[in-house]
Amino acid sequence: MKMPSCLIVQDEKITKYLLVYQPKSDKSGYLALAGYNLDNWELLKNDIIKAVEGSEIAKVTLTDWGTQFEVRSEWSGPNGRLIKVITIWQEDEGTEFVRFITLKPDRLQES
């Protein structure tokens, strides 16, 4: 099963969560390794969508709120460094859009 093309990534997920240091489960440090920061947050948003659209879904989980999808992907950041991530998406009950939930480093694919 492949990811659809109706993907939504809310700006706030990037600018107030992924690229801002979090004391627990921080992602900003990993993304900074590839050159992502608040100055180029729109690039990260576009790169996530480009990497995931049409990709194979690794895992599907049914929840009380909808269906969650896990996708493994990789792409080169603005500084050329390759990052490998797992993104989590959700199609809420009663909608046809799939929204971005979070991402995390894909430690299984790292060499």
Side-chain angles (χ1 to χ4, degrees):
M1 182 173 165
K2 294 193 183 272
M3 285 295 283
S5 59
C6 54
L7 303 177
I8 296 173
V9 177
Q10 296 172 314
D11 294 351
E12 294 79 21
K13 284 279 188 178
I14 307 289
T15 61
K16 296 185 178 176
Y17 175 61
L18 289 180
L19 294 175
V20 176
Y21 175 77
Q22 305 290 324
K24 185 177 180 184
S25 300
D26 180 59
K27 282 94 169 142
S28 66
Y30 184 70
L31 293 168
L33 293 174
Y36 294 108
N37 57 56
L38 286 172
D39 292 333
N40 63 12
W41 69 269
E42 290 161 317
L43 181 60
L44 175 59
K45 179 179 176 176
N46 292 332
D47 285 351
I48 290 170
I49 291 171
K50 281 192 307 191
V52 172
E53 240 175 12
S55 292
E56 199 64 35
I57 296 170
K59 183 178 174 184
V60 177
T61 306
L62 300 178
T63 72
D64 291 340
W65 304 277
T67 305
Q68 284 193 351
F69 305 103
E70 183 176 295
V71 178
R72 287 185 148 82
S73 58
E74 59 182 57
W75 68 88
S76 293
N79 66 7
R81 182 167 179 178
L82 182 71
I83 59 171
K84 299 176 182 187
V85 300
I86 297 171
T87 53
I88 309 297
W89 301 80
Q90 182 167 299
E91 183 176 11
D92 296 325
E93 286 292 327
T95 69
E96 51 191 67
F97 298 101
V98 179
R99 66 184 174 92
F100 175 75
I101 303 295
T102 194
L103 68 74
K104 58 187 176 184
D106 189 348
R107 304 275 184 220
L108 294 177
Q109 288 193 46
E110 289 182 358
S111 39

